[in-house]
Amino acid sequence: MAKRKSLKTDPCPVARALDAIGERWSLLIVRDAFDGMRRFGEFQKSLGVAKNILADRLHTLVEEGIFTVAPASDGTAYQEYVLTPRGLDLFPVVVGLRQWSEAQLFAPGEAHSTLRQRASDLPVRKMEVLAEDGRILRAGDTVVHKVAPQ
Amino acid sequence: MAKRKSLKTDPCPVARALDAIGERWSLLIVRDAFDGMRRFGEFQKSLGVAKNILADRLHTLVEEGIFTVAPASDGTAYQEYVLTPRGLDLFPVVVGLRQWSEAQLFAPGEAHSTLRQRASDLPVRKMEVLAEDGRILRAGDTVVHKVAPQ
């Protein structure tokens, strides 16, 4: 793989986020973990990705503190990949991607998986950027304050 | 570039989203557009990415309907890349990435750019996945209903 510009110390949080989880497959592994998957073979079967690429992505996600490696919950010799608090905190990002895609990338009536509340089977609310008083904020209602260069 | 498995027709909205905007740099171009950038040279200066890669990503983002190409707003011969409604709808995704990163990838007190309301200079609310009644939903409170295979 070509050497790449690292954004790991970038003062923009969006850039630093994408340095950690912006590789192809990384967020799909996180998605699968939210769906209950824990083992290499489960991720591999779900994603259909080459084993060496999956191993690389899992290694990076562990290094980034998004997954931790744990012994198998059933006492077998397998390793399991478990989301850490840092990984679990990606839930709004994954749901935001889902909702954008549902609204923008599917034809009306086209079948897709849906996210529902476990207890009630109701859908979840559309995620929006909100002011403290609950008003919806569009991009133009906001501004980014940059950090002065060191 | 190696031929890749396309997720463009995947029934999982998260997979389809990442097929459209999951390439390295794509969401950083979108971020820059939210910050007001419109021209190739502006994106190139901001990102420090090779011109051929930037051209490829912009081409894909136009194909995906996230940007449209427009004549320069100042009457010069430049082209401008303008977010479409589909692109503007990515605002919650970019803000979700920012907030995750701010909470998880910066040391306490470490400098980073901040997102504020333009009119009031107040911060924006932390994005959460919510039920219709406003309760915060964790991943474990939800379940994905898969589509039956065709």
Side-chain angles (χ1 to χ4, degrees):
Chain A
M1 197 176 294
K3 189 163 175 347
R4 303 175 331 175
K5 182 185 175 185
S6 172
L7 303 169
K8 200 176 281 300
T9 60
D10 200 285
C12 170
V14 182
R16 204 178 284 197
L18 291 168
D19 195 84
I21 47 102
E23 283 283 1
R24 187 167 166 86
W25 302 112
S26 296
L27 275 173
L28 290 177
I29 296 169
V30 171
R31 171 204 65 177
D32 281 351
F34 280 127
D35 287 350
M37 295 180 202
R38 293 168 155 253
R39 293 190 183 174
F40 190 95
E42 291 178 304
F43 296 120
Q44 215 262 319
K45 187 175 171 199
S46 164
L47 300 172
V49 59
K51 287 181 183 182
N52 63 322
I53 293 175
L54 177 58
D56 175 80
R57 294 301 184 274
L58 281 167
H59 179 77
T60 300
L61 289 165
V62 170
E63 274 194 334
E64 296 286 351
I66 290 163
F67 280 93
T68 190
V69 179
S73 43
D74 61 2
T76 60
Y78 288 101
Q79 288 196 122
E80 294 190 345
Y81 294 90
V82 181
L83 287 167
T84 62
R86 178 179 287 182
L88 288 167
D89 199 29
L90 281 166
F91 187 55
V93 171
V94 174
V95 176
L97 283 166
R98 157 182 284 281
Q99 292 183 338
W100 173 73
S101 177
E102 287 174 345
Q104 297 292 345
L105 304 183
F106 284 78
E110 187 180 359
H112 59 73
S113 71
T114 56
L115 182 72
R116 300 194 159 259
Q117 296 178 53
R118 191 180 292 276
S120 64
D121 204 43
L122 292 169
V124 307
R125 191 187 281 189
K126 173 87 170 76
M127 294 182 69
E128 302 279 6
V129 181
L130 300 175
E132 274 309 324
D133 62 9
R135 271 179 309 119
I136 293 175
L137 299 171
R138 305 292 169 205
D141 300 324
T142 67
V143 63
V144 171
H145 291 236
K146 306 266 184 194
V147 177
Q150 302 298 304
Chain B
M1 197 176 297
K3 191 167 177 334
R4 304 178 327 176
K5 182 184 173 185
S6 172
L7 302 169
K8 200 175 279 301
T9 59
D10 200 285
C12 171
V14 182
R16 205 178 284 196
L18 291 168
D19 195 85
I21 47 105
E23 283 284 2
R24 188 169 165 85
W25 302 112
S26 295
L27 275 173
L28 290 176
I29 297 169
V30 172
R31 171 204 65 177
D32 281 350
F34 280 127
D35 287 350
M37 295 181 201
R38 293 168 153 252
R39 293 190 183 174
F40 190 94
E42 291 177 304
F43 295 120
Q44 216 263 318
K45 188 175 169 198
S46 164
L47 300 173
V49 60
K51 288 182 182 180
N52 62 322
I53 293 175
L54 178 58
D56 174 80
R57 293 301 183 276
L58 281 166
H59 180 77
T60 300
L61 288 166
V62 170
E63 274 193 334
E64 296 286 351
I66 291 162
F67 281 93
T68 189
V69 179
S73 43
D74 61 2
T76 60
Y78 288 100
Q79 288 195 124
E80 294 190 345
Y81 295 89
V82 181
L83 287 167
T84 62
R86 178 179 287 183
L88 289 167
D89 199 29
L90 281 166
F91 188 54
V93 170
V94 174
V95 176
L97 283 166
R98 157 182 286 280
Q99 292 184 338
W100 173 73
S101 178
E102 288 174 344
Q104 297 292 344
L105 304 183
F106 284 78
E110 187 179 359
H112 58 74
S113 70
T114 55
L115 182 72
R116 302 196 155 258
Q117 296 177 54
R118 191 179 292 274
S120 64
D121 203 42
L122 292 170
V124 307
R125 191 187 282 190
K126 173 88 169 78
M127 295 181 68
E128 302 279 6
V129 180
L130 300 175
E132 273 309 324
D133 62 9
R135 270 179 309 119
I136 294 175
L137 299 171
R138 304 293 169 204
D141 301 324
T142 66
V143 63
V144 171
H145 291 236
K146 305 266 184 194
V147 177
Q150 302 297 302

